[in-house]
Amino acid sequence: MNICMIGTGYVGLVSGACFADMGHTVHCVDNNQEKIKKLNSGECPIYEPGLNELIKENFRSKRLIFTSNLSEGVNKSDIIFICVGTPTKKNSTSVDLNYVFKAAQEIKEISKKRKIIVTKSTVPVGTGDMLEKIFKNRKKFIIISNPEFLREGDALRDFRFPDRIIVGSNSANSFKIMKNLYLPLINKGAKFFTTNRRGAELIKYASNAFLATKITFINEIANLCEKININVEDISLGMGSDVRIGGRFLRPGPAYGGSCFPKDTKGLVSIANKERVDLSIVKSVIKSNHNRKYLLLKRIDDIFTKNIRNKKIVFLGVTFKPNTDDMRDAASLFMIPELHKRKALISYYDPTGEKKEFSSLKKCSYVSDVNKVCKNADLIILHTEWDEFKSIDFNKLVKNKKFTLYDLRNLYSVEQMRKKKIKYFSIGRTEIS
Ligand code: NAD
């Protein structure tokens, strides 16, 4: 099949490369010319394990084409996937659909024959209906919802071995086309689930809100564990062993972040508000997650008995999760500027390099070597659970100084740190001071 991905970001690029690898010819279109230039010169614009190799292979075999020319991509393709961003509107909780509608308008203007248009972007219920209105004078255009569930950091595996493929459409014929497209994945065991278009749109928001609820729930239980001397990991394991609950997304940590959960929980509440439905659970998840940022900050204040000025605070990892360079809504985006305001001296190391998000902070510096960044630290905050942070000899790296380790991902055990005589705080466990 000939496919066009509009938007070559985390979703469009991964899906496009994987579709090409399944044997389809894929035009990846992006209006960010810098991105297209990079891709055409063999450089992957995002960090995602395995993606660079996959792109190179399929680019060489001419199944993967990168272009800023929408007309070329659209007119050579039968199926067009809209994979543009759907961020939260500024000063509001509702979803900004401008990128989606702009892309649709452009497709309408340049497409010469019948097209199948699929929203892979996460879009509020009823967006497909609105797109249908845009194409109302175009005969036989089909609008399908096919939300994407890949997770950054595991994106290739998630795309190639999905639990389910959700296709929402009001036309029976489109299920056949989509099933055919995804057949190699269905043959490997992916469930092909069909519903109407609005149903598919809601499945995506409801799924993300549910996962965010699980994380927030265990974060609150972790707060309780810290007060009553119980190890939260025992609770996660004990709860998660019940197949009705399941162990995934029951690991406590900082406030959830990333490009999906924060915006999709808000988006879902906004969708419900319009219908005058009170999603009180999702609302309290958003509130609890917001409060968590302040709670962790208060703990840091307490570590220094509020005297943070000129203390050297080191962040290990700043992205919202490991194996990605994505900074969207990472907890560090709140914590670092707040600590900077308190006149702390911040240094950070991240395996995906320096971040422009902190470049305006005077006393915040990037150190490109994990072995050097910890030197003379007063506090090390283990923010992201990259593998390379799992076996650090902190005493050796910090050198002769009394320091504290605040492990937001519970990568180390309390016992290990006690033996090493390191002042250690983690999440939902007994503290050593
Ligand atoms: P992204 O910001 O990484 O990529 C979007 C891309 O679209 C950008 O490169 C941008 O330049 C391009 N773009 C915008 N308008 C365009 C236009 N008119 N023509 C061509 N290109 C255009 O976003 P993302 O993280 O890939 O997310 C895309 C959608 O997928 C969102 O709705 C998101 O909620 C959803 N989603 C994301 C993830 C994830 O992990 N990132 C997972 C599942 C679903």
Side-chain angles (χ1 to χ4, degrees), residues 6-13 29-32 35 46 70 82-87 99-100 102-103 106 120-123 147-152 204 208 259-260 263-264 320 326 328:
I6 302 186
T8 306
Y10 289 86
V11 164
L13 186 55
V29 181
D30 206 290
N31 56 9
N32 179 336
K35 212 175 239 190
I46 56 171
L70 187 75
I82 297 182
C83 307
V84 299
T86 48
Y99 298 105
V100 173
K102 193 164 175 282
E106 286 167 359
K120 212 170 228 325
S121 296
T122 303
V123 293
E148 182 51 58
F149 294 91
L150 62 78
R151 293 161 305 160
E152 288 169 22
K204 175 65 192 182
N208 274 358
S259 61
C260 293
K263 83 171 175 65
D264 293 346
F320 81 100
D326 198 346
R328 285 177 283 185

Short mmCIF file of all heavy atoms in Angstrom, two decimals, residues 6-13 29-32 35 46 70 82-87 99-100 102-103 106 120-123 147-152 204 208 259-260 263-264 320 326 328, ligand 1:
data_model
loop_
_atom_site.label_atom_id
_atom_site.label_comp_id
_atom_site.label_asym_id
_atom_site.label_seq_id
_atom_site.Cartn_x
_atom_site.Cartn_y
_atom_site.Cartn_z
N ILE A 6 1.26 12.35 7.93
CA ILE A 6 1.41 13.80 8.06
C ILE A 6 1.79 14.10 9.50
O ILE A 6 1.03 13.84 10.43
CB ILE A 6 0.13 14.55 7.66
CG1 ILE A 6 -0.21 14.18 6.22
CG2 ILE A 6 0.30 16.05 7.82
CD1 ILE A 6 -1.33 14.93 5.62
N GLY A 7 3.00 14.65 9.66
CA GLY A 7 3.57 14.84 10.99
C GLY A 7 4.57 13.72 11.22
O GLY A 7 4.21 12.55 11.29
N THR A 8 5.85 14.11 11.26
CA THR A 8 6.90 13.12 11.41
C THR A 8 7.55 13.28 12.78
O THR A 8 8.75 13.49 12.89
CB THR A 8 7.90 13.28 10.23
OG1 THR A 8 7.13 13.22 9.03
CG2 THR A 8 8.93 12.18 10.16
N GLY A 9 6.71 13.22 13.81
CA GLY A 9 7.21 13.32 15.18
C GLY A 9 7.35 11.94 15.78
O GLY A 9 7.60 10.95 15.07
N TYR A 10 7.18 11.84 17.09
CA TYR A 10 7.37 10.56 17.78
C TYR A 10 6.43 9.49 17.22
O TYR A 10 6.81 8.35 17.02
CB TYR A 10 7.17 10.73 19.29
CG TYR A 10 8.30 11.51 19.92
CD1 TYR A 10 8.27 12.91 19.95
CD2 TYR A 10 9.41 10.87 20.42
CE1 TYR A 10 9.32 13.63 20.50
CE2 TYR A 10 10.47 11.58 20.97
CZ TYR A 10 10.42 12.96 21.00
OH TYR A 10 11.47 13.67 21.52
N VAL A 11 5.20 9.87 16.94
CA VAL A 11 4.23 8.89 16.44
C VAL A 11 4.38 8.67 14.93
O VAL A 11 4.48 7.55 14.45
CB VAL A 11 2.79 9.32 16.82
CG1 VAL A 11 1.76 8.57 16.00
CG2 VAL A 11 2.56 9.06 18.29
N GLY A 12 4.39 9.76 14.18
CA GLY A 12 4.43 9.65 12.72
C GLY A 12 5.69 8.98 12.21
O GLY A 12 5.64 8.15 11.29
N LEU A 13 6.82 9.31 12.84
CA LEU A 13 8.09 8.76 12.36
C LEU A 13 8.20 7.27 12.71
O LEU A 13 8.58 6.46 11.85
CB LEU A 13 9.26 9.55 12.97
CG LEU A 13 10.65 9.20 12.48
CD1 LEU A 13 10.77 9.29 10.96
CD2 LEU A 13 11.70 10.10 13.13
N VAL A 29 5.63 13.12 5.80
CA VAL A 29 5.62 14.56 5.49
C VAL A 29 5.68 15.36 6.78
O VAL A 29 4.99 15.05 7.75
CB VAL A 29 4.30 14.92 4.76
CG1 VAL A 29 4.27 16.41 4.40
CG2 VAL A 29 4.12 14.08 3.51
N ASP A 30 6.50 16.40 6.77
CA ASP A 30 6.49 17.32 7.92
C ASP A 30 6.75 18.73 7.41
O ASP A 30 7.54 18.93 6.49
CB ASP A 30 7.56 16.92 8.94
CG ASP A 30 7.19 17.40 10.33
OD1 ASP A 30 7.22 18.63 10.58
OD2 ASP A 30 6.84 16.55 11.18
N ASN A 31 6.04 19.69 8.02
CA ASN A 31 6.27 21.07 7.59
C ASN A 31 7.46 21.70 8.30
O ASN A 31 7.80 22.85 8.05
CB ASN A 31 5.00 21.93 7.73
CG ASN A 31 4.45 21.92 9.14
OD1 ASN A 31 5.10 21.42 10.05
ND2 ASN A 31 3.26 22.47 9.32
N ASN A 32 8.10 20.94 9.17
CA ASN A 32 9.35 21.38 9.78
C ASN A 32 10.48 20.92 8.86
O ASN A 32 10.89 19.76 8.86
CB ASN A 32 9.47 20.75 11.18
CG ASN A 32 10.75 21.14 11.89
OD1 ASN A 32 11.73 21.49 11.24
ND2 ASN A 32 10.74 21.06 13.20
N LYS A 35 13.64 19.23 10.18
CA LYS A 35 13.47 17.81 10.50
C LYS A 35 13.63 16.95 9.25
O LYS A 35 14.32 15.92 9.25
CB LYS A 35 12.05 17.63 11.06
CG LYS A 35 11.92 16.57 12.08
CD LYS A 35 10.51 16.56 12.66
CE LYS A 35 10.52 16.77 14.14
NZ LYS A 35 9.24 16.57 14.79
N ILE A 46 14.88 12.38 16.58
CA ILE A 46 14.50 12.07 17.96
C ILE A 46 15.31 10.87 18.46
O ILE A 46 15.84 10.10 17.65
CB ILE A 46 12.98 11.73 18.09
CG1 ILE A 46 12.57 10.57 17.16
CG2 ILE A 46 12.13 12.95 17.87
CD1 ILE A 46 11.17 10.04 17.40
N LEU A 70 3.69 18.23 0.79
CA LEU A 70 2.48 17.50 1.16
C LEU A 70 1.79 16.91 -0.06
O LEU A 70 1.29 15.79 -0.04
CB LEU A 70 1.53 18.44 1.90
CG LEU A 70 0.29 17.79 2.49
CD1 LEU A 70 0.65 17.00 3.74
CD2 LEU A 70 -0.76 18.83 2.85
N ILE A 82 -3.06 11.18 9.84
CA ILE A 82 -2.76 12.48 10.48
C ILE A 82 -2.11 12.19 11.83
O ILE A 82 -2.72 11.56 12.71
CB ILE A 82 -4.05 13.32 10.64
CG1 ILE A 82 -4.64 13.65 9.27
CG2 ILE A 82 -3.75 14.60 11.43
CD1 ILE A 82 -5.88 14.53 9.28
N CYS A 83 -0.85 12.62 11.96
CA CYS A 83 -0.08 12.32 13.18
C CYS A 83 0.49 13.60 13.80
O CYS A 83 1.57 13.58 14.38
CB CYS A 83 1.10 11.40 12.85
SG CYS A 83 0.67 9.93 11.96
N VAL A 84 -0.21 14.70 13.63
CA VAL A 84 0.29 15.98 14.14
C VAL A 84 -0.02 16.10 15.63
O VAL A 84 -0.82 15.33 16.17
CB VAL A 84 -0.32 17.16 13.36
CG1 VAL A 84 0.04 17.08 11.89
CG2 VAL A 84 -1.85 17.19 13.53
N GLY A 85 0.57 17.07 16.29
CA GLY A 85 0.37 17.26 17.72
C GLY A 85 -1.04 17.74 18.05
O GLY A 85 -1.68 18.43 17.23
N THR A 86 -1.51 17.36 19.24
CA THR A 86 -2.80 17.85 19.73
C THR A 86 -2.58 18.33 21.17
O THR A 86 -3.07 17.70 22.12
CB THR A 86 -3.88 16.76 19.68
OG1 THR A 86 -3.35 15.54 20.27
CG2 THR A 86 -4.32 16.45 18.28
N PRO A 87 -1.85 19.44 21.32
CA PRO A 87 -1.50 19.88 22.68
C PRO A 87 -2.69 20.49 23.41
O PRO A 87 -3.76 20.67 22.82
CB PRO A 87 -0.43 20.95 22.42
CG PRO A 87 -0.72 21.45 21.03
CD PRO A 87 -1.31 20.32 20.27
N TYR A 99 -3.67 22.06 14.53
CA TYR A 99 -2.76 21.33 13.63
C TYR A 99 -3.53 20.28 12.82
O TYR A 99 -3.26 20.08 11.64
CB TYR A 99 -1.64 20.65 14.42
CG TYR A 99 -0.76 21.60 15.17
CD1 TYR A 99 -0.87 21.72 16.56
CD2 TYR A 99 0.19 22.37 14.52
CE1 TYR A 99 -0.06 22.60 17.27
CE2 TYR A 99 0.99 23.26 15.21
CZ TYR A 99 0.86 23.36 16.59
OH TYR A 99 1.66 24.24 17.29
N VAL A 100 -4.49 19.65 13.47
CA VAL A 100 -5.27 18.60 12.79
C VAL A 100 -6.11 19.24 11.68
O VAL A 100 -6.11 18.76 10.53
CB VAL A 100 -6.20 17.87 13.81
CG1 VAL A 100 -7.13 16.91 13.09
CG2 VAL A 100 -5.36 17.13 14.84
N LYS A 102 -5.74 22.11 10.22
CA LYS A 102 -4.91 22.72 9.17
C LYS A 102 -4.44 21.62 8.21
O LYS A 102 -4.51 21.79 6.98
CB LYS A 102 -3.72 23.42 9.82
CG LYS A 102 -2.98 24.33 8.87
CD LYS A 102 -2.08 25.30 9.62
CE LYS A 102 -1.26 26.10 8.62
NZ LYS A 102 -0.13 25.33 8.08
N ALA A 103 -4.02 20.50 8.78
CA ALA A 103 -3.56 19.39 7.92
C ALA A 103 -4.72 18.91 7.04
O ALA A 103 -4.54 18.68 5.83
CB ALA A 103 -3.03 18.25 8.79
N GLU A 106 -5.39 21.26 4.22
CA GLU A 106 -4.35 21.15 3.19
C GLU A 106 -4.58 19.90 2.34
O GLU A 106 -4.45 19.94 1.11
CB GLU A 106 -2.96 21.09 3.85
CG GLU A 106 -2.50 22.44 4.38
CD GLU A 106 -1.28 22.34 5.30
OE1 GLU A 106 -0.79 21.21 5.54
OE2 GLU A 106 -0.83 23.38 5.76
N LYS A 120 -4.43 9.37 13.63
CA LYS A 120 -3.60 8.61 14.58
C LYS A 120 -3.31 9.51 15.78
O LYS A 120 -3.04 9.03 16.88
CB LYS A 120 -2.30 8.15 13.90
CG LYS A 120 -1.84 6.82 14.45
CD LYS A 120 -0.72 6.22 13.68
CE LYS A 120 -0.93 4.76 13.34
NZ LYS A 120 -1.64 3.94 14.32
N SER A 121 -3.39 10.81 15.54
CA SER A 121 -3.27 11.76 16.65
C SER A 121 -4.38 11.47 17.64
O SER A 121 -5.45 10.97 17.26
CB SER A 121 -3.46 13.20 16.14
OG SER A 121 -2.45 13.56 15.25
N THR A 122 -4.13 11.80 18.91
CA THR A 122 -5.17 11.67 19.94
C THR A 122 -6.12 12.86 19.81
O THR A 122 -5.71 14.00 20.00
CB THR A 122 -4.50 11.66 21.33
OG1 THR A 122 -3.55 10.59 21.35
CG2 THR A 122 -5.51 11.48 22.45
N VAL A 123 -7.36 12.57 19.45
CA VAL A 123 -8.30 13.69 19.20
C VAL A 123 -9.60 13.50 19.97
O VAL A 123 -10.07 12.37 20.13
CB VAL A 123 -8.62 13.84 17.68
CG1 VAL A 123 -7.40 14.29 16.91
CG2 VAL A 123 -9.17 12.54 17.09
N PRO A 147 -6.39 5.41 16.89
CA PRO A 147 -5.48 6.01 17.87
C PRO A 147 -4.24 5.14 18.09
O PRO A 147 -4.29 3.93 17.95
CB PRO A 147 -6.33 6.09 19.15
CG PRO A 147 -7.44 5.11 18.96
CD PRO A 147 -7.69 5.05 17.48
N GLU A 148 -3.15 5.82 18.43
CA GLU A 148 -1.87 5.13 18.62
C GLU A 148 -1.60 4.96 20.11
O GLU A 148 -1.88 5.86 20.89
CB GLU A 148 -0.76 5.93 17.93
CG GLU A 148 0.61 5.31 18.01
CD GLU A 148 0.61 3.85 17.58
OE1 GLU A 148 0.23 3.55 16.44
OE2 GLU A 148 1.00 3.00 18.40
N PHE A 149 -1.04 3.80 20.47
CA PHE A 149 -0.80 3.52 21.89
C PHE A 149 0.67 3.31 22.21
O PHE A 149 1.01 2.90 23.32
CB PHE A 149 -1.61 2.30 22.33
CG PHE A 149 -3.09 2.53 22.28
CD1 PHE A 149 -3.83 2.23 21.14
CD2 PHE A 149 -3.75 3.09 23.37
CE1 PHE A 149 -5.20 2.47 21.08
CE2 PHE A 149 -5.12 3.34 23.32
CZ PHE A 149 -5.85 3.03 22.19
N LEU A 150 1.56 3.56 21.24
CA LEU A 150 2.98 3.30 21.51
C LEU A 150 3.48 4.18 22.65
O LEU A 150 2.95 5.27 22.88
CB LEU A 150 3.82 3.50 20.24
CG LEU A 150 3.90 4.88 19.56
CD1 LEU A 150 4.83 5.82 20.29
CD2 LEU A 150 4.34 4.71 18.14
N ARG A 151 4.50 3.67 23.36
CA ARG A 151 5.13 4.45 24.41
C ARG A 151 6.53 4.82 23.97
O ARG A 151 7.26 3.96 23.46
CB ARG A 151 5.26 3.62 25.70
CG ARG A 151 3.97 3.26 26.37
CD ARG A 151 4.18 2.10 27.31
NE ARG A 151 4.78 0.96 26.59
CZ ARG A 151 5.42 -0.05 27.17
NH1 ARG A 151 5.60 -0.06 28.47
NH2 ARG A 151 5.91 -1.04 26.45
N GLU A 152 6.89 6.07 24.15
CA GLU A 152 8.25 6.47 23.81
C GLU A 152 9.23 5.62 24.63
O GLU A 152 8.95 5.27 25.77
CB GLU A 152 8.46 7.95 24.13
CG GLU A 152 7.72 8.84 23.15
CD GLU A 152 7.67 10.29 23.58
OE1 GLU A 152 8.52 10.73 24.36
OE2 GLU A 152 6.76 10.99 23.10
N LYS A 204 -8.99 6.00 23.45
CA LYS A 204 -7.64 6.51 23.67
C LYS A 204 -7.57 7.38 24.93
O LYS A 204 -6.70 7.21 25.78
CB LYS A 204 -7.20 7.31 22.43
CG LYS A 204 -5.88 8.01 22.56
CD LYS A 204 -4.70 7.06 22.71
CE LYS A 204 -3.46 7.82 23.14
NZ LYS A 204 -2.30 6.99 23.27
N ASN A 208 -5.60 6.39 28.56
CA ASN A 208 -4.54 7.20 29.17
C ASN A 208 -4.95 7.71 30.54
O ASN A 208 -4.13 7.77 31.46
CB ASN A 208 -4.15 8.36 28.25
CG ASN A 208 -3.10 7.91 27.24
OD1 ASN A 208 -2.66 6.76 27.26
ND2 ASN A 208 -2.71 8.80 26.35
N SER A 259 4.37 13.45 27.01
CA SER A 259 3.59 14.16 25.99
C SER A 259 2.13 13.72 25.98
O SER A 259 1.34 14.27 25.22
CB SER A 259 4.21 13.91 24.63
OG SER A 259 4.17 12.53 24.36
N CYS A 260 1.76 12.74 26.80
CA CYS A 260 0.38 12.24 26.71
C CYS A 260 -0.45 12.39 27.98
O CYS A 260 -1.51 13.02 27.95
CB CYS A 260 0.39 10.78 26.27
SG CYS A 260 0.98 10.58 24.58
N LYS A 263 -1.67 15.97 29.18
CA LYS A 263 -2.60 16.65 28.26
C LYS A 263 -3.88 15.82 28.04
O LYS A 263 -4.97 16.38 27.89
CB LYS A 263 -1.91 16.99 26.93
CG LYS A 263 -1.84 15.88 25.92
CD LYS A 263 -1.33 16.39 24.58
CE LYS A 263 -1.14 15.25 23.59
NZ LYS A 263 -2.36 14.56 23.18
N ASP A 264 -3.76 14.51 28.07
CA ASP A 264 -4.95 13.70 27.77
C ASP A 264 -5.92 13.63 28.96
O ASP A 264 -7.13 13.53 28.77
CB ASP A 264 -4.54 12.29 27.30
CG ASP A 264 -3.84 12.35 25.94
OD1 ASP A 264 -3.92 13.40 25.27
OD2 ASP A 264 -3.22 11.34 25.54
N PHE A 320 11.19 12.75 30.89
CA PHE A 320 10.11 12.22 31.72
C PHE A 320 10.21 10.72 31.92
O PHE A 320 9.62 10.17 32.85
CB PHE A 320 8.74 12.62 31.15
CG PHE A 320 8.23 11.77 30.01
CD1 PHE A 320 7.30 10.77 30.23
CD2 PHE A 320 8.67 11.98 28.72
CE1 PHE A 320 6.81 9.99 29.19
CE2 PHE A 320 8.21 11.20 27.67
CZ PHE A 320 7.28 10.20 27.91
N ASP A 326 12.44 13.15 24.99
CA ASP A 326 11.26 14.01 25.10
C ASP A 326 11.20 14.68 26.47
O ASP A 326 11.22 14.00 27.50
CB ASP A 326 10.00 13.16 24.87
CG ASP A 326 8.78 14.00 24.53
OD1 ASP A 326 8.82 15.23 24.73
OD2 ASP A 326 7.78 13.42 24.06
N ARG A 328 8.67 16.93 27.20
CA ARG A 328 7.34 17.51 27.42
C ARG A 328 6.77 17.09 28.78
O ARG A 328 6.66 15.91 29.08
CB ARG A 328 6.40 17.10 26.29
CG ARG A 328 6.70 17.87 25.00
CD ARG A 328 5.83 17.42 23.86
NE ARG A 328 6.26 16.17 23.29
CZ ARG A 328 5.71 15.61 22.21
NH1 ARG A 328 4.72 16.21 21.60
NH2 ARG A 328 6.16 14.46 21.74
P1 NAD B 1 5.22 15.60 17.77
O1 NAD B 1 5.08 16.99 18.24
O2 NAD B 1 6.46 14.84 18.11
O3 NAD B 1 5.06 15.54 16.18
C1 NAD B 1 4.12 16.24 15.46
C2 NAD B 1 4.74 16.63 14.13
O4 NAD B 1 3.73 17.14 13.27
C3 NAD B 1 5.80 17.72 14.23
O5 NAD B 1 7.01 17.26 13.67
C4 NAD B 1 5.22 18.89 13.43
O6 NAD B 1 6.20 19.64 12.77
C5 NAD B 1 4.31 18.15 12.46
N1 NAD B 1 3.23 18.94 11.88
C6 NAD B 1 2.32 19.74 12.48
N2 NAD B 1 1.45 20.24 11.59
C7 NAD B 1 1.80 19.75 10.38
C8 NAD B 1 1.28 19.89 9.06
N3 NAD B 1 0.21 20.65 8.80
N4 NAD B 1 1.89 19.26 8.06
C9 NAD B 1 2.98 18.49 8.29
N5 NAD B 1 3.50 18.30 9.52
C10 NAD B 1 2.93 18.92 10.55
O7 NAD B 1 3.93 14.83 18.31
P2 NAD B 1 3.81 13.28 18.72
O8 NAD B 1 4.39 13.07 20.07
O9 NAD B 1 4.27 12.45 17.59
O10 NAD B 1 2.24 13.17 18.88
C11 NAD B 1 1.38 13.23 17.77
C12 NAD B 1 0.01 12.79 18.20
O11 NAD B 1 0.04 11.42 18.62
C13 NAD B 1 -0.58 13.56 19.38
O12 NAD B 1 -1.96 13.67 19.22
C14 NAD B 1 -0.26 12.67 20.56
O13 NAD B 1 -1.17 12.85 21.63
C15 NAD B 1 -0.43 11.29 19.96
N6 NAD B 1 0.34 10.24 20.63
C16 NAD B 1 1.62 10.49 21.04
C17 NAD B 1 2.36 9.48 21.64
C18 NAD B 1 3.76 9.74 22.12
O14 NAD B 1 4.27 8.92 22.87
N7 NAD B 1 4.40 10.81 21.72
C19 NAD B 1 1.79 8.21 21.80
C20 NAD B 1 0.49 7.99 21.34
C21 NAD B 1 -0.22 9.01 20.75
#
